[in-house]
């Protein structure tokens, strides 16, 4: 996984709540067996007109000022719905590495960390301030510093955020999750041996 | 110290809690389908890693399967996905109910049919509706593809402990109200984010009165309330369902297993972080009117207006949903006309669901201009329905009787709404475009879907002949 480094990037505004995974990546684009190339399908149904090709001029991410944005600022309950990792794959492939909202759906939230995307939870007031700053100055660049757990803006906002210590370390270092877990392989084997004695019927078909 | 069922399962499956890092939770059962697994197998291959416990996995092919002419997968990319699932399972000797199996069907229907999930287990699948298996008192939840790979390689997950919510439903349900209506009524209270960060335990006499299939429908939709998982305590209903099934404990193990399962129930007096209570008598048949499962109301109600919400975000969501759904504030639910009816999915694709629809449509005809499709959740469901003559009732009423698959629940297999079409659907999500770009979905129970197919609009089945 790519390490997450401090950056200053355009923040795009998506003033919608409950953005679900069916919007992030509609199901017709989930038939591939690869992890790559989903960015072109991100928000397809909102992003393109009925011909599926022409960019929808009314869709916020199509605004020229938001091109190249790495930070997405969106309304509450972002990523609700299905467990499809195609959603964070599409988001990352499109170019975002940070999403700021007041809340995220559980599965989407953990999927982000597996794909070098930092989901940042802020308060309603903080979100309103961030959104207002973008609305007043589209194309504005925010700075995200994961090590310091801080978002700063040219308008003078300084927002400190919480992040689980282990997830932070994993993102900063670009750690391989499976590799880390396998350093505890002895504990897993121990557990399995004990379970075979405790609940033998679970291993009957082994 | 008293504990909830969730806390007991957590403790029983905790492999290791290192000082720094993440707790590791042992995974007992891993369910798999073609859409969310190929990249995980590829990941294993690239790292030269093996599947740790093959016996813990059960797979099926369901999302991309056509329900007419099932071998004719027109979309080459979908076809490749199905072939990839088949070869990945073959290579790794994974038990797959594939395209040629008479046990094939939707993963969350097939797994219980085989008794593969037991109370007290930790169960995962790259699919959010894994919550279904909470009906057995198992901690069952959806994971992403990276985690699918992680579970295959390590048999564990890096997990954070969730908060607990008790959802108590008490009393007798009105006629024709079902587990689906309970689920929708709960989501109307909690909202789609109300359960975020929680595992919900459903309790109360209304819940214990439900059949296993009803409990599956209810737990299936826990994810639509944002919950990580839903749970129902195991009881005699659970044990009667499980006993004798292929992967259920056998012989001397049966009694031992039941004793273990009994010990995993929530202790009396155990504290939950949150408690909500609903009265069953208040739960009339439900119909969703918007683009989120929380935008739902009794069939006797009217479509709300943004001004009915004191929360600005919900008011805005209402306005946007009215526009997308092309319904008007104040419009009676029973005045909404529909084009397509779908009965099926992991929510409502079991035998009791088809019986419920059949009872309503028997001897009647589908309304002019309405297309109605019945998609059994699995071949065993289909065969059982045919034994009972249900297929004839459907066909004589003008319904299409299809082969199993996820079908129009998420419309990956070619069964979909066209732009502007409106459905009465027994599935679980009414998100924009869920059933096809521009399609409009109303979530209902199987009986309500049956009635809508005949009337051509929603009806209150309680006073409908």
């Amino acid at each position: 996984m790519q390490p997450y480094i401090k950056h200053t990037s355009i923040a795009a505004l998506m003033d919608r709540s409950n953005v679900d995974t069916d919007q992030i990546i509609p199901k017709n684009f989930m038939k591939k067996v690869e992890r790559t190339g989903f960015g072109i399908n991100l928000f397809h149904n909102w992003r393109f007109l009925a011909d599926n090709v022409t960019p929808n001029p009314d869709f916020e991410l199509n605004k020229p000022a938001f091109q190249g944005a790495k930070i997405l600022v969106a309304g509450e309950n972002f990523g609700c719905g299905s467990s499809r990792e195609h959603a964070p794959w599409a988001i990352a492939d499109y170019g975002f590495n940070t999403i700021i909202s007041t809340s995220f759906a559980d599965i989407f939230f953990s999927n982000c960390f597996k794909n070098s995307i930092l989901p940042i939870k802020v308060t309603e007031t903080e979100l309103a301030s961030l959104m207002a700053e973008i609305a007043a100055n589209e194309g504005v660049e925010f700075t995200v510093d994961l090590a310091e757990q801080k978002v700063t803006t040219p308008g003078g906002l300084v927002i400190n955020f919480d992040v689980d210590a282990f997830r932070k370390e994993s993102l900063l270092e670009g750690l391989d999750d499976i590799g880390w877990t396998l350093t505890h392989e002895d504990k897993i084997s121990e557990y399995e041996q004990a379970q075979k004695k405790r609940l033998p019927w679970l291993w009957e078909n082994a | 110290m008293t504990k909830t069922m969730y806390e007991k399962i957590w403790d029983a499956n905790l492999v290791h809690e290192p000082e720094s890092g993440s707790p590791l939770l042992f995974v007992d059962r891993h369910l798999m389908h073609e859409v969310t697994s190929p990249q995980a197998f590829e990941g294993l291959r690239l790292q030269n890693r093996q599947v740790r416990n093959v016996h813990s996995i059960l797979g099926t092919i369901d999302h991309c399967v056509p329900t007419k002419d099932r071998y004719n997968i027109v979309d080459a990319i979908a076809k490749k996905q199905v072939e990839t699932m088949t070869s990945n399972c073959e290579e790794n000797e994974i038990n797959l109910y594939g395209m040629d199996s008479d046990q094939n069907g939707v993963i969350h229907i097939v797994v219980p049919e085989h008794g593969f999930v037991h109370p007290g287990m930790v169960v995962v699948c790259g699919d959010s509706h894994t919550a279904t298996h909470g009906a057995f008192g198992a901690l069952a939840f959806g994971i992403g593809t990276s985690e699918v790979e992680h579970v295959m390689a390590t048999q564990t997950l890096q997990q954070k402990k969730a908060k607990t919510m008790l959802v108590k439903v008490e009393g007798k349900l009105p006629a024709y109200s079902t587990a689906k209506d309970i689920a929708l009524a709960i989501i109307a209270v909690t909202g789609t984010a109300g359960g975020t960060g929680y595992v919900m335990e459903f309790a109360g006499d209304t819940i214990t009165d439900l059949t296993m299939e009803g409990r599956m429908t209810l737990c299936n939709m826990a994810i639509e309330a944002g919950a990580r998982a839903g749970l129902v305590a195991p009881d005699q209903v659970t044990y009667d369902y499980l006993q004798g099934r292929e992967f259920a404990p056998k012989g001397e193990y049966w009694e031992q297993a039941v004793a273990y399962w009994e010990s995993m129930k929530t202790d009396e007096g155990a504290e939950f972080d949150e408690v909500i209570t609903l009265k069953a008598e208040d739960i009339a048949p439900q119909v969703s009117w918007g683009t989120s499962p929380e935008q739902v109301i009794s069939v006797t109600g009217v479509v709300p207006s943004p001004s009915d919400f004191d929360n600005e975000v919900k008011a805005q969501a209402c306005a946007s949903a009215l526009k997308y759904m092309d319904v008007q504030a104040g419009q009676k639910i029973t005045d909404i006309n529909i084009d397509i009816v779908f009965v099926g999915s992991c929510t409502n694709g079991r035998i009791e669901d088809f019986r419920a629809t059949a009872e309503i449509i028997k001897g009647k005809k589908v309304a002019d201009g309405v297309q109605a499709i019945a998609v059994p959740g699995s071949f065993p469901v289909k065969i059982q329905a045919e034994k009972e003559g249900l297929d004839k009732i459907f066909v004589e009423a003008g319904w299409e009787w299809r082969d199993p698959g996820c079908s129009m629940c998420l419309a990956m297999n070619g069964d979909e709404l066209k732009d502007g079409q409106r459905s009465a659907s027994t599935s679980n999500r009414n998100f924009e475009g869920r059933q096809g770009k521009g399609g409009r979905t109303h979530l209902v129970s199987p009986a309500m879907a049956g009635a809508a197919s005949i009337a051509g609009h929603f009806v209150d089945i309680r006073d409908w002949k």
Side-chain angles (χ1 to χ4, degrees):
Chain A
M1 214 174 60
Q2 264 188 329
Y4 187 99
I5 43 179
K6 180 179 169 181
H7 62 102
T8 300
S9 320
I10 297 172
L13 172 59
M14 189 170 230
D15 189 7
R16 311 183 190 223
S17 58
N18 299 310
V19 172
D20 61 73
T21 51
D22 275 82
Q23 306 318 318
I24 297 171
I25 178 110
K27 78 277 165 186
N28 30 323
F29 305 110
M30 289 166 53
K31 296 167 184 170
K32 294 203 304 186
V33 296
E34 298 84 19
R35 281 177 202 252
T36 50
F38 291 101
I40 184 73
N41 310 126
L42 181 73
F43 295 119
H44 178 94
N45 291 351
W46 288 344
R47 192 168 145 199
F48 299 101
L49 294 177
D51 65 1
N52 293 319
V53 184
T54 314
N56 175 3
D58 295 334
F59 180 56
E60 49 269 43
L61 296 189
N62 287 339
K63 289 183 179 181
F66 292 154
Q67 299 317 299
K70 282 199 160 91
I71 304 165
L72 181 62
V73 180
E76 67 180 32
N77 197 27
F78 191 90
C80 61
S82 100
S83 64
R84 60 187 71 161
E85 199 162 316
H86 309 68
W89 291 337
I91 288 170
D93 192 47
Y94 181 89
F96 290 116
N97 69 359
T98 309
I99 310 170
I100 304 178
S101 177
T102 49
S103 59
F104 297 88
D106 278 345
I107 308 176
F108 177 81
F109 189 73
S110 43
N111 280 342
C112 283
F113 288 96
K114 314 289 182 194
N115 293 283
S116 308
I117 300 169
L118 173 65
I120 300 177
K121 281 186 211 170
V122 296
T123 65
E124 276 178 40
T125 321
E126 289 166 343
L127 185 71
S129 310
L130 291 170
M131 284 188 165
E133 185 165 341
I134 302 174
N137 182 18
E138 288 185 353
V140 63
E141 294 188 345
F142 294 169
T143 300
V144 183
D145 186 339
L146 173 57
E148 295 292 322
Q149 299 180 209
K150 205 159 66 179
V151 178
T152 47
T153 74
L157 295 170
V158 179
I159 294 171
N160 297 298
F161 59 87
D162 285 332
V163 58
D164 173 81
F166 179 56
R167 282 176 159 163
K168 174 180 172 179
E169 185 195 334
S170 297
L171 273 190
L172 286 173
E173 313 268 326
L175 278 187
D176 166 23
D177 268 358
I178 297 178
W180 180 87
T181 296
L182 288 175
T183 62
H184 300 286
E185 205 275 335
D186 54 332
K187 302 281 182 195
I188 300 171
S189 290
E190 240 172 69
Y191 181 92
E192 285 171 338
Q193 292 315 315
Q195 195 194 53
K196 280 177 196 171
K197 290 196 185 110
R198 196 166 55 91
L199 311 172
W201 57 88
L202 294 187
W203 295 81
E204 267 188 304
N205 65 323
Chain B
M1 204 186 93
T2 56
K3 286 195 224 167
T4 64
M5 186 163 45
Y6 168 69
E7 288 157 340
K8 289 183 184 186
I9 299 175
W10 173 276
D11 289 349
N13 282 65
L14 188 63
V15 170
H16 185 46
E17 200 164 7
E19 272 175 33
S20 69
S22 166
L24 291 175
L25 204 63
F26 192 75
V27 172
D28 298 300
R29 292 292 185 249
H30 187 181
L31 322 176
M32 215 172 260
H33 62 70
E34 76 275 24
V35 181
T36 55
S37 62
Q39 296 87 353
F41 282 105
E42 183 63 15
L44 287 186
R45 272 190 289 270
L46 289 173
Q47 296 291 325
N48 200 20
R49 287 170 174 149
Q50 305 294 315
V51 179
R52 187 173 176 98
N53 288 336
V54 171
H55 81 279
S56 70
I57 307 176
L58 195 153
T60 186
I61 294 173
D62 51 10
H63 283 61
C64 292
V65 184
T67 53
K68 289 192 285 197
D69 197 8
R70 62 189 260 108
Y71 287 101
N72 187 16
I73 302 176
V74 182
D75 183 337
I77 306 173
K79 190 159 180 274
K80 186 176 172 202
Q81 196 174 59
V82 167
E83 288 164 359
T84 304
M85 178 69 179
T86 309
S87 61
N88 279 332
C89 289
E90 269 170 18
E91 264 171 46
N92 292 282
E93 299 181 337
I94 288 168
N95 187 5
L96 171 72
Y97 297 126
M99 292 298 287
D100 296 326
S101 168
D102 61 2
Q103 303 300 308
N104 175 262
V106 178
I107 186 78
H108 306 307
I109 307 262
V110 167
V111 161
E113 284 174 346
H114 291 272
F116 194 63
V117 167
H118 313 161
M121 283 179 165
V122 169
V123 179
V124 300
C125 174
D127 192 295
S128 59
H129 292 110
T130 308
T132 308
H133 309 283
F136 290 86
L139 177 63
F141 53 91
I143 56 177
T145 298
S146 294
E147 290 181 315
V148 169
E149 183 180 336
H150 191 280
V151 174
M152 283 201 283
T154 72
Q155 208 58 38
T156 65
L157 272 179
Q158 299 174 359
Q159 278 291 292
K160 289 194 76 166
K161 206 163 178 180
K163 291 179 284 184
T164 56
M165 185 187 293
L166 176 66
V167 181
K168 238 175 165 174
V169 190
E170 287 169 329
K172 200 172 158 16
L173 280 173
Y176 292 107
S177 285
T178 64
K180 179 65 163 287
D181 304 295
I182 300 176
L184 289 170
I186 291 169
I187 298 161
V189 173
T190 62
T192 52
T196 302
Y198 288 90
V199 166
M200 285 180 170
E201 180 170 342
F202 302 107
D205 58 337
T206 317
I207 307 300
T208 47
D209 281 351
L210 293 174
T211 62
M212 278 317 293
E213 295 196 1
R215 295 177 191 185
M216 287 185 232
T217 300
L218 174 63
C219 288
N220 173 279
M221 292 196 68
I223 182 69
E224 294 347 309
R228 188 119 185 88
L231 285 170
V232 175
D235 59 10
Q236 199 55 45
V237 177
T238 321
Y239 309 147
D240 289 346
Y241 180 97
L242 278 174
Q243 197 163 23
R245 291 184 192 261
E246 186 181 355
F247 295 105
K250 304 267 174 354
E252 56 170 340
Y253 287 149
W254 176 257
E255 295 299 325
Q256 283 180 45
V258 171
Y260 175 66
W261 299 341
E262 282 288 306
S263 77
M264 297 303 280
K265 293 187 193 183
T266 294
D267 294 322
E268 200 153 324
E271 277 190 29
F272 289 82
D273 296 309
E274 187 84 46
V275 179
I276 61 171
T277 308
L278 279 82
K279 280 195 198 131
E281 64 191 46
D282 298 339
I283 303 175
Q286 306 282 305
V287 181
S288 72
W289 53 267
T291 52
S292 159
E294 72 182 45
Q295 293 173 325
V296 65
I297 199 163
S298 294
V299 63
T300 51
V302 298
V303 175
S305 131
S307 62
D308 294 335
F309 299 89
D310 43 19
N311 169 323
E312 198 189 319
V313 173
K314 288 194 190 299
Q316 218 179 61
C318 172
S320 141
L322 294 185
K323 188 167 170 233
Y324 181 85
M325 293 296 288
D326 191 27
V327 290
Q328 277 70 48
Q331 187 177 4
K332 284 167 73 178
I333 294 293
T334 48
D335 285 346
I336 299 174
N337 295 321
I338 45 107
D339 307 298
I340 306 264
V341 182
F342 168 65
V343 173
S345 83
C346 59
T347 311
N348 280 126
R350 301 182 180 80
I351 188 67
E352 290 172 11
D353 300 315
F354 294 97
R355 287 178 192 145
T357 310
E359 184 195 324
I360 300 289
I361 63 171
K362 190 172 183 177
K364 300 189 169 71
K365 285 280 179 215
V366 165
D368 282 346
V370 171
Q371 183 190 16
I373 67 171
V375 181
S378 69
F379 276 106
V381 171
K382 183 170 193 246
I383 287 160
Q384 178 61 31
E386 289 170 359
K387 256 188 215 162
E388 297 177 21
L390 302 183
D391 57 322
K392 291 194 185 65
I393 295 175
F394 278 95
V395 171
E396 279 164 18
W399 281 61
E400 295 170 43
W401 182 251
R402 301 277 188 92
D403 281 335
C406 296
S407 181
M408 204 178 272
C409 175
L410 87 167
M412 275 186 80
N413 74 331
D415 300 338
E416 63 179 351
L417 296 180
K418 293 189 187 71
D419 195 2
Q421 276 188 325
R422 186 183 299 283
S423 77
S425 177
T426 67
S427 52
N428 40 56
R429 291 198 174 121
N430 52 341
F431 296 155
E432 281 185 32
R434 170 80 177 179
Q435 295 187 299
K437 190 177 177 182
R440 298 167 179 140
T441 304
H442 297 272
L443 304 175
V444 288
S445 73
M448 286 287 287
S453 76
I454 306 300
H457 55 83
F458 293 108
V459 289
D460 187 344
I461 35 178
R462 294 169 301 176
D463 48 38
W464 185 72
K465 291 284 170 285

